[in-house]
Amino acid sequence: MRLYRIALWVTALVAVPLMAAPPGVSTARAVGGTTPEGPLAVWRAEVVPESAVDSALPFPALGARSVAFPRAAPRPAIVLRTQWRADETKRDPHAHYAQRVTAVFIHHTDTPNGYDCADVPRTLRNLYTGQTRDQRWGDLGYNFLVDKCGTIYEGRAGGTDRPVVGSHTLGFNQGTTGIAAIGTFGRGTPVPAAMEHAIAALAAWKLGLNGIDPTDKVQLTSTNDKSRYTKGASAEFDAISGHRDGYATNCPGDALFARLPAIRKIAAGLQGRLPRASSGVALPASLRNLQQTSH
């Protein structure tokens, strides 16, 4: 009986369900849409509103073998658009979806670093206005944003757990998630530990939904000649890459870019990939033994 209780706790802590097609999304048809990359085929669906309460995802039944223990990561707390008071009348009423997320691109917002974390919702509303009105991206370009206190915010609308196509890395928006660190992280600028760990936790969760190892390489196909790769070219990226890897830019800044190897390792540790992790998140020996006997 004692072993059974331990197994229950482990499953509930880290397991997440396999992702099905989002409700209301027709994966049988692609429709033309306009994005910052020009016309392309996208998955289109009306946005399904999300509750303002940040609730956990449901867990599979005990004994389910569809989700591998070492590849799951818990969903971090996320401040939703309703909570930072996004004006939903400003954006494109449609969300665009890829089939799944296989990579994460890290950005910085190139805004001042001396902000008070309590004022971040106002910063987000300003960014939102600029990217919808001035850039004409239809919504915030980033899927998520993270402040220096480690708070994660929902960026682009469409569902935090869904493969929403953003406007963050020209040529490589399809099948990726864009996470922006709020601030400017040029050479010599310290990256707050809370921000770094929050980015890693978010990346671990998003990649874990599809069993992607944060320390692996992935193949992506360019959709725009203005990226670092011609349209249609396949290129290899780190599963957690910087904006500059896909586009000619200094983003996410030299300091944050230099921290990406550490962020990958932290994310791998949160997924339970212990041999590759050095984040200090190792499981107790008793739980490691339980993990090994479950395979």
Side-chain angles (χ1 to χ4, degrees), residues 36-60:
E37 299 179 7
L40 52 87
V42 297
W43 303 109
R44 172 167 290 182
E46 295 290 341
V47 175
V48 179
E50 236 185 296
S51 169
V53 178
D54 187 15
S55 59
L57 292 171
F59 299 117

Side-chain angles (χ1 to χ4, degrees), residues 29-35 38-45 92 94-96 174:
R29 69 182 181 94
V31 296
T34 300
T35 74
L40 52 87
V42 297
W43 303 109
R44 172 167 290 182
D92 181 348
H94 299 284
H96 307 286
Q174 290 280 343

Side-chain angles (χ1 to χ4, degrees), residues 11-262:
T11 302
L13 176 65
V14 300
V16 292
L18 290 177
M19 296 304 299
V25 179
S26 173
T27 57
R29 69 182 181 94
V31 296
T34 300
T35 74
E37 299 179 7
L40 52 87
V42 297
W43 303 109
R44 172 167 290 182
E46 295 290 341
V47 175
V48 179
E50 236 185 296
S51 169
V53 178
D54 187 15
S55 59
L57 292 171
F59 299 117
L62 282 175
R65 305 290 292 182
S66 58
V67 178
F69 176 87
R71 289 156 177 76
R75 180 184 190 271
I78 300 170
V79 177
L80 302 180
R81 290 171 63 94
T82 51
Q83 294 170 297
W84 59 263
R85 302 197 308 277
D87 182 352
E88 303 297 356
T89 65
K90 293 181 177 180
R91 66 174 175 84
D92 181 348
H94 299 284
H96 307 286
Y97 297 94
Q99 292 181 317
R100 62 178 188 147
V101 168
T102 59
V104 171
F105 282 101
I106 306 300
H107 305 256
H108 67 174
T109 57
D110 203 19
T111 52
N113 292 335
Y115 58 87
D116 187 319
C117 290
D119 293 332
V120 168
R122 181 172 58 186
T123 299
L124 295 182
R125 292 192 293 272
N126 289 338
L127 287 169
Y128 179 38
T129 297
Q131 293 183 6
T132 52
R133 183 191 64 195
D134 303 332
Q135 301 292 340
R136 297 186 178 181
W137 290 350
D139 197 349
L140 272 170
Y142 315 116
N143 297 94
F144 301 93
L145 300 96
V146 179
D147 70 17
K148 64 185 180 182
C149 295
T151 303
I152 300 171
Y153 294 86
E154 177 185 19
R156 201 171 188 87
T160 59
D161 59 342
R162 298 174 184 176
V164 179
V165 177
S167 300
H168 52 86
T169 305
L170 191 68
F172 297 100
N173 290 318
Q174 290 280 343
T176 67
T177 283
I179 302 175
I182 300 174
T184 302
F185 296 95
R187 184 171 300 176
T189 304
V191 180
M195 171 181 278
E196 186 173 302
H197 281 74
I199 291 172
L202 180 57
W205 172 61
K206 287 296 290 185
L207 294 174
L209 293 175
N210 290 293
I212 304 296
D213 184 337
T215 63
D216 269 354
K217 303 286 187 180
V218 297
Q219 291 290 326
L220 301 176
T221 301
S222 173
T223 61
N224 195 294
D225 288 330
K226 293 182 180 180
S227 76
R228 286 193 179 275
Y229 302 89
T230 58
K231 183 177 180 180
S234 179
E236 184 177 77
F237 290 86
D238 289 301
I240 300 177
S241 288
H243 185 188
R244 64 177 64 178
D245 291 317
Y247 184 74
T249 175
N250 289 325
C251 183
D254 289 345
L256 182 53
F257 188 78
R259 297 302 300 164
L260 293 188

